[in-house]
Amino acid sequence: MSRAPTLTRRSILASAAALPMAAVTAPVARAAAPMMGAGTTRFNRVALGEFEVTTLLAATMPRPDPHSIFGLNVSEDAFNAASEAANIPTDQAQFFFTPTVVNTGSELVLFDTGLNPEGITSALQAAGYTPDQVDVVVITHMHGDHIGGLMGESGATFANARYVTSGVEFDAWAAMDNQTFEAKMRPLAEQTEMIGDGASVASGITAMAAHGHTPGHTVYMIESGGRQLLLAADFANHYVWSLGYPDWEVKFDMDKARAVETRRRLLGMLAADKIPFVGYHMPWPGTGYVEQAGEGYRYLPTSYQLML
């Protein structure tokens, strides 16, 4: 009786080698995936004790010639050297506009409103909120990129909100001839509570005078469950040119000497107490820490600290 042939590893490999090359199926060519363009998220939500803090990317855009904005009192060579040391371009900068929502559990508090109603409402919606859910709108100061979203063609963007701002800030802008203030802020005057340094906006939210950038510029300390975070607005507007060089003059600081004093005071506090902050123009998502670095400070973006 004949025996069935025995398959060995050598015979299998030999058989495979004898197969014609045409039997190997070539991969099917596919069309290239389309270019999608640069993109980012519109919101970032973290925990702070019993509160939720959500930063909103209302807008972002490049700006040319940043030395015409930052470091007005230093030479072009000094500005370029500082920028190159931080590995950032000297000919343009990316600006971020970051309103923030604090949910205290009983109130939804929005800090600043971006450049226009469309930007703030779309960012809110991406974060799961609607404008009519906002209970309080806090205006840190009245530059157009902070009050631009207050009013649109159909009226107030936040129909159910009360408004809070510094009385010093409101009075200063009311005495100016400023079209954006007249269109966006003055119509809400009767609905706006004017406050000063140390005032409580809501439980766990306290105003802190930070004058200089504007006459009544105000930042806000958020506290819950033994944790703190500073809503820092525009006391420092760039993570290198403002933090690393707090004495550099900034075009948009209305009182430049006082702005430097405020910048050094708040940066010193943040570094000493290791308090995180939200910077309106810091790199998205706008949250970070500060540490001393020589004569200035260094920006440390948050990683997962505020997720825990």
Side-chain angles (χ1 to χ4, degrees), residues 61-280:
M61 63 187 69
R63 290 288 298 267
D65 190 17
H67 190 208
S68 68
I69 302 172
F70 299 95
L72 302 185
N73 55 335
V74 302
S75 69
E76 183 176 356
D77 287 345
F79 180 84
N80 290 348
S83 304
E84 290 166 0
N87 195 31
I88 53 178
T90 60
D91 60 343
Q92 63 179 340
Q94 188 75 20
F95 272 53
F96 302 87
F97 303 84
T98 312
T100 298
V101 171
V102 176
N103 189 343
T104 69
S106 58
E107 289 186 300
L108 197 66
V109 184
L110 171 65
F111 292 82
D112 293 328
T113 67
L115 293 153
N116 50 55
E118 296 75 21
I120 185 61
T121 56
S122 62
L124 277 169
Q125 288 166 0
Y129 304 121
T130 58
D132 60 2
Q133 288 179 304
V134 175
D135 298 296
V136 187
V137 176
V138 180
I139 299 299
T140 63
H141 65 292
M142 295 181 190
H143 278 148
D145 57 323
H146 294 256
I147 64 172
L150 282 172
M151 300 279 289
E153 293 182 2
S154 58
T157 306
F158 308 99
N160 300 321
R162 61 185 176 92
Y163 301 86
V164 177
T165 196
S166 159
V168 172
E169 182 75 358
F170 187 95
D171 291 345
W173 287 86
M176 302 179 200
D177 182 17
N178 183 274
Q179 291 183 346
T180 303
F181 173 86
E182 296 298 331
K184 303 286 187 174
M185 190 73 233
R186 195 185 287 277
L188 299 169
E190 293 185 2
Q191 301 160 251
T192 302
E193 178 185 2
M194 309 297 174
I195 63 169
D197 185 35
S200 176
V201 171
S203 178
I205 303 177
T206 305
M208 296 174 60
H211 303 170
H213 180 64
T214 60
H217 183 270
T218 302
V219 300
Y220 291 85
M221 185 64 76
I222 316 299
E223 300 183 70
S224 177
R227 303 180 71 181
Q228 293 181 307
L229 178 144
L230 187 71
L231 263 295
D234 284 17
F235 89 91
N237 279 345
H238 193 273
Y239 78 108
V240 173
W241 300 318
S242 294
L243 270 67
Y245 307 90
D247 296 334
W248 281 12
E249 292 182 356
V250 180
K251 176 181 179 180
F252 300 121
D253 289 344
M254 296 172 73
D255 183 336
K256 292 176 173 49
R258 194 170 189 187
V260 167
E261 294 173 3
T262 294
R263 197 151 41 243
R264 283 206 168 274
R265 173 171 57 85
L266 292 181
L267 289 172
M269 178 195 74
L270 292 171
D273 296 341
K274 298 184 178 179
I275 299 172
F277 76 107
V278 176
Y280 194 81

